[in-house]
Amino acid sequence: MKKMNVESFNLDHTKVKAPYVRLVGVTEGANGDKVYKYDIRFKQPNKEHMEMAGLHSIEHLMAENIRNHMDNVLDISPMGCQTGFYLSILNNDSYDEALVALEKTLQDVLAADEVPACNEVQCGWAANHSLEGAKSIAEEMLAKKDEWREVF
Ligand SMILES: [Zn+2]
């Protein structure tokens, strides 16, 4: 296959074993700051995916809560294929800390009694949410946390 600009387009999605947490790459800026980008794969590509409403709610919940467990989180965003999220962290090279933060964040999802910011002022599709859907995604991911380090 032709080498693509996007790292994940060069990843053979038929070879991975979800769920997993994979370091995509490290980008260093001119002043030495480093951005660590992770591929957090919840669902097996082309076999399963997250339903949109639950995915949207777990996005809100993780975005809000992961920042309580780890400094310098730049972003956590869903993939368009609905099988995972990208997590970007500034100046922290610890894979283990990222896993602990993810685990605590998913526990927050299970304990949540509402989805943060699911209203028309704070969200672009406020009608499209499911707390129950988010919890079932989190529950399944947590049940397989022993597999997170294994990508292939
Ligand atoms: Zn939203």
Side-chain angles (χ1 to χ4, degrees), residues 40 59 62-63 66-67 73-78 85-88:
I40 305 176
E59 179 214 347
M62 290 198 300
I66 199 167
R67 292 170 164 92
V73 171
L74 298 180
D75 189 39
I76 181 162
S77 304
F85 282 80
Y86 285 113
L87 170 66
S88 295

Side-chain angles (χ1 to χ4, degrees), residues 74-112:
L74 298 180
D75 189 39
I76 181 162
S77 304
M79 299 170 182
C81 58
Q82 298 173 227
T83 63
F85 282 80
Y86 285 113
L87 170 66
S88 295
I89 298 167
L90 180 67
N91 291 336
N92 185 338
D93 68 354
S94 175
Y95 178 74
D96 289 342
E97 282 181 37
L99 291 195
V100 169
L102 176 64
E103 182 180 349
K104 288 179 177 171
T105 301
L106 292 172
Q107 281 160 355
D108 292 338
V109 174
L110 292 184

Side-chain angles (χ1 to χ4, degrees), residues 56 59-60 117 122-126 129:
H56 188 187
E59 179 214 347
H60 277 226
Q122 294 175 291
C123 171
W125 193 6
H129 278 281

Side-chain angles (χ1 to χ4, degrees), residues 1 6-16 20 22 39 41 45 86 151-152:
M1 255 188 302
V6 177
E7 189 277 348
S8 74
F9 294 166
N10 296 313
L11 174 74
D12 186 343
H13 286 67
T14 68
K15 300 281 193 289
V16 298
Y20 64 77
R22 182 178 72 92
D39 160 0
R41 198 68 61 148
Y86 285 113
V151 177
F152 296 100

